[in-house]
Amino acid sequence: MKLTPEEQDMLNGKYGRAVQKSMEILSTLGDIYKAERMIDVYSVQIAGVSYSNLGEAGLDFLSEMADGGTVRVLTTLNPAGMDRDNWQALGIDEEFAKNQNRVLDAFAKMGVIATASCTPYLIGNVPHFGQHISWAESSAVCYSNSVIGARTNREGGPSAIAAALTGKTPEYGYHIDKNRHGQVLFEVEVPVTGTAQYGVLGKAIGDQLDQLGKKIPYITGISSATVEELKSFCASIATYGGTALFHMEDITPEARLYPKPEDKVVINKDIMDKAKAELTDPDIEIDFVSIGCPHASIHEISNLAKLLKGKNVTKEFWVTTGRPTKRLADEAGYTQIIEKAGAKFAADTCCVVAPITGRFKGMMIDSAKACYYVRARHKYKIKIGSIEECVVEATK
Ligand code: F3S
């Protein structure tokens, strides 16, 4: 691929080993995907932050990149394995906390803002329509491409770090117009409301895409959707269909730019019921309830505070969110109400990336994405339900 003189200098080591290694990663990717050039990115979101995912090998890579490497663009972080302030109350052991802090220190050394949230678009890392970015975290990639109309491929941990240290990414995939049109039409024939149902819809469409081997759905039949519903949908369709971009008629900004595909799949009540049934295990004994996958918005927290006001939870209950959102909740008085009910805030982390395997038997949550990963990673039984149903279960 063709590099500018500055990019060539990066590759030749003029800016140090970390930048050189970053440009090696990016130019190799560019060659593999036949990119013609590098483009500038507005921001980066890095995933792979929990020490339980990284281990010592990941930490070695980070330390190498942090040795002289400094971010050139706005760069934020995915959730870590623990709440930085409240880890003891969440049952995280000291050894893990020490190692997690080593990871966060390495990112801080590079100048990364330790937002530790999978919803960067809710807390200040907000690209505009058409802007090129380099994000990891499948749910945020899907949201930024589809709902905002920004442009990113689904980056891995190393390629996102490389983009942060150079401000560049190779121009291929979703950065290019011709790769962004819808490939299969999904007509949704049933009304869909609430984060849990949008998660079910994401699984229903994602499962079909998986079978069709196509990745960009064009969805019709949805008359309105909130930010929270779309964030749940994005997380789910990215999990079950590997989707990084969708178009939703009258909802997402690029839907009107592309023709509706001819291949059509109808999503009816039977398909939705089947998808929902697959998100609940039989004979489940629920001892853990969590809200906030992807990380809860201030609107969801305000709703939860109303639902929990004057009640007491009888099971472990986590509210997972980004720390800036938690600060808003503190100021608005929501934190006090929620904690008085016995629920716990787990800022900076979530029920999937926290090291909690073996602690619980069955979990209820409003997120189809969490259902998949909690089952796979912690081997808990799971049940999906709306936030209202989660509160009923938690306060039984
Ligand atoms: Fe975020 Fe964890 Fe869900 S990273 S999308 S809350 S699995």
Side-chain angles (χ1 to χ4, degrees):
M1 62 188 297
K2 204 165 165 356
L3 298 182
T4 63
E6 190 200 24
E7 290 158 2
Q8 196 61 57
D9 282 346
M10 289 179 179
L11 194 57
N12 292 342
K14 183 174 174 189
Y15 300 98
R17 179 62 192 134
V19 172
Q20 182 180 34
K21 190 161 184 171
S22 297
M23 192 46 84
E24 284 168 5
I25 292 171
L26 297 175
S27 55
T28 302
L29 266 178
D31 288 341
I32 291 169
Y33 290 103
K34 303 200 180 343
E36 288 182 9
R37 59 175 189 151
M38 295 285 172
I39 47 175
D40 293 339
V41 293
Y42 159 71
S43 77
V44 172
Q45 166 78 4
I46 296 173
V49 180
S50 174
Y51 179 76
S52 52
N53 291 339
L54 285 168
E56 284 303 309
L59 197 47
D60 284 349
F61 173 74
L62 279 186
S63 305
E64 200 185 332
M65 299 307 264
D67 187 14
T70 306
V71 299
R72 290 188 172 219
V73 293
L74 173 67
T75 303
T76 48
L77 268 194
N78 237 31
M82 64 179 197
D83 183 310
R84 280 169 294 166
D85 291 348
N86 199 26
W87 53 271
Q88 279 136 322
L90 298 173
I92 306 296
D93 75 60
E94 201 167 341
E95 184 62 19
F96 181 89
K98 210 172 80 197
N99 287 324
Q100 184 63 72
N101 280 328
R102 289 166 64 212
V103 172
L104 295 172
D105 288 349
F107 281 120
K109 200 172 163 197
M110 284 184 242
V112 176
I113 305 171
T115 45
S117 176
C118 49
T119 54
Y121 49 88
L122 294 181
I123 54 170
N125 185 351
V126 196
H128 65 60
F129 181 85
Q131 209 163 23
H132 295 283
I133 56 176
S134 182
W135 284 15
E137 171 47 43
S138 61
S139 67
V141 165
C142 188
Y143 190 98
S144 60
N145 268 326
S146 314
V147 181
I148 299 174
R151 296 179 170 214
T152 180
N153 290 314
R154 214 167 135 158
E155 301 296 345
S159 64
I161 293 172
L165 298 189
T166 58
K168 308 276 180 185
T169 198
E171 186 181 38
Y172 71 93
Y174 295 115
H175 291 286
I176 297 175
D177 277 350
K178 71 178 170 57
N179 298 327
R180 293 179 68 88
H181 60 88
Q183 295 170 315
V184 55
L185 179 66
F186 284 87
E187 278 185 7
V188 180
E189 284 188 341
V190 278
V192 185
T193 50
T195 48
Q197 274 196 41
Y198 269 86
V200 171
L201 180 65
K203 173 168 164 48
I205 296 177
D207 286 347
Q208 304 269 344
L209 286 167
D210 204 32
Q211 284 174 21
L212 293 167
K214 293 188 175 172
K215 294 294 178 214
I216 308 181
Y218 189 112
I219 301 157
T220 63
I222 304 288
S223 54
S224 70
T226 65
V227 164
E228 289 75 15
E229 288 166 341
L230 289 168
K231 110 177 140 60
S232 176
F233 178 74
C234 288
S236 179
I237 198 167
T239 298
Y240 295 96
T243 302
L245 168 66
F246 65 87
H247 303 296
M248 199 178 264
E249 190 175 42
D250 297 331
I251 305 281
T252 63
E254 283 172 87
R256 66 186 187 288
L257 302 182
Y258 303 106
K260 285 184 197 169
E262 289 184 359
D263 291 349
K264 183 172 94 177
V265 178
V266 171
I267 299 293
N268 57 26
K269 186 172 178 308
D270 288 350
I271 293 175
M272 286 290 281
D273 288 349
K274 180 172 174 288
K276 185 174 180 195
E278 287 170 1
L279 293 172
T280 294
D281 288 316
D283 306 321
I284 179 169
E285 184 191 328
I286 296 165
D287 54 359
F288 181 34
V289 177
S290 185
I291 296 296
C293 172
H295 271 175
S297 69
I298 192 65
H299 192 198
E300 284 171 303
I301 293 172
S302 117
N303 184 24
L304 183 64
K306 279 189 205 125
L307 292 167
L308 280 176
K309 191 164 188 175
K311 298 189 180 128
N312 286 309
V313 301
T314 56
K315 301 172 170 78
E316 183 84 357
F317 191 129
W318 286 13
V319 184
T320 59
T321 191
R323 188 156 298 278
T325 310
K326 161 77 166 43
R327 288 198 188 107
L328 282 179
D330 294 348
E331 281 176 24
Y334 304 143
T335 303
Q336 206 196 4
I337 296 168
I338 290 168
E339 289 185 341
K340 197 168 173 211
K344 296 171 185 167
F345 271 86
D348 317 315
T349 188
C350 80
C351 60
V352 170
V353 297
I356 54 171
T357 303
R359 282 212 9 224
F360 305 105
K361 294 192 203 81
M363 187 184 78
M364 185 163 181
I365 192 161
D366 67 329
S367 162
K369 173 177 177 173
C371 289
Y372 178 90
Y373 284 104
V374 165
R375 240 182 203 158
R377 186 172 182 140
H378 301 314
K379 315 282 184 236
Y380 301 163
K381 289 190 172 183
I382 51 104
K383 179 174 181 176
I384 194 163
S386 64
I387 292 191
E388 291 78 5
E389 288 166 335
C390 287
V391 168
V392 167
E393 177 64 41
T395 53
K396 261 188 196 164

